[in-house]
Amino acid sequence: FFHNKNNGVFALTYEYLRVNIHSEYLSVNIHERFPRKDTHMAGGFSDKEREEIRQKLLDSGYELSTDIGLKKMAVAMIAGSAGIAVGTFYNFYASKEEFVIAIIRDTEMRFENEMAKHFSKDGTISLKKFLEVFRGNFKPENNILLRMKLDDWVWLKSHISDSAYLNKTTDI
């Protein structure tokens, strides 16, 4: 809600509705609720820019979690390392906890993609290749969960429920 003293206009904006109250008349403007496909996404970024920023954030998260751990990693540090403003971070993730879940899921996705690359067209994989990729997932440099210190595990368990980062359909 704002008031412009120069022309006596009061305006109220709510989501996609704008009401202007002039001293002599009332005007209502209805804006598009959803952006067109050719417009930029929230924060003024295109889909390509959003994906690049998301990847920079994830890379920063991996690096910071290795250097200082999840517990000590702050949103401002993540954003700074990715070269974005703190406010921009929140265009991508609602909280540090949501970001950590994204890192865990990205780790899982990287493993699944790496494994999928080695399946033949008929859906088979050699035992040797399967074991090589599977073992590779259990190297600390490839799996954020294996790099975590005790403080990080305590932080993780106290801030995020297991169901938030475990895929119930595939995890046993």
Side-chain angles (χ1 to χ4, degrees):
F1 183 80
F2 68 88
H3 174 249
N4 185 336
K5 291 183 180 179
N6 295 333
N7 62 9
V9 175
F10 288 90
L12 173 65
T13 303
Y14 179 74
E15 287 190 24
Y16 55 95
L17 178 69
R18 181 180 173 105
V19 179
N20 295 314
I21 306 167
H22 299 267
S23 55
E24 295 140 12
Y25 65 92
L26 173 74
S27 70
V28 177
N29 299 316
I30 300 175
H31 304 284
E32 289 183 40
R33 182 175 181 130
F34 302 103
R36 292 185 184 142
K37 290 182 181 179
D38 61 340
T39 62
H40 289 301
M41 299 295 287
F45 301 111
S46 67
D47 290 341
K48 182 181 177 198
E49 291 168 327
R50 287 182 64 79
E51 187 52 40
E52 289 171 0
I53 293 169
R54 187 179 320 281
Q55 192 57 55
K56 284 181 187 178
L57 287 167
L58 290 171
D59 291 345
S60 294
Y62 284 118
E63 186 178 320
L64 287 169
S65 67
T66 299
D67 294 346
I68 63 171
L70 294 176
K71 182 179 178 181
K72 294 179 184 175
M73 186 171 64
V75 169
M77 297 167 91
I78 300 163
S81 178
I84 63 167
V86 173
T88 302
F89 173 91
Y90 290 106
N91 284 333
F92 293 86
Y93 303 100
S95 64
K96 175 182 165 181
E97 290 79 4
E98 185 178 297
F99 176 69
V100 170
I101 291 169
I103 292 174
I104 293 169
R105 289 191 176 146
D106 186 65
T107 299
E108 181 181 77
M109 200 58 153
R110 287 178 186 202
F111 169 68
E112 289 174 6
N113 290 339
E114 181 63 26
M115 184 66 79
K117 286 193 304 189
H118 300 286
F119 276 88
S120 65
K121 290 181 181 178
D122 66 356
T124 61
I125 186 172
S126 72
L127 179 59
K128 180 180 177 182
K129 184 51 82 174
F130 173 82
L131 290 174
E132 178 185 318
V133 175
F134 186 77
R135 287 178 182 145
N137 187 54
F138 290 96
K139 293 181 179 178
E141 62 269 20
N142 298 333
N143 191 325
I144 188 173
L145 297 174
L146 298 175
R147 292 194 304 255
M148 290 174 41
K149 298 175 179 81
L150 181 59
D151 284 351
D152 295 329
W153 280 107
V154 171
W155 179 89
L156 185 69
K157 293 296 283 177
S158 66
H159 285 81
I160 304 171
S161 70
D162 291 346
S163 63
Y165 58 86
L166 293 177
N167 182 346
K168 293 178 185 177
T169 59
T170 59
D171 292 339
I172 298 175

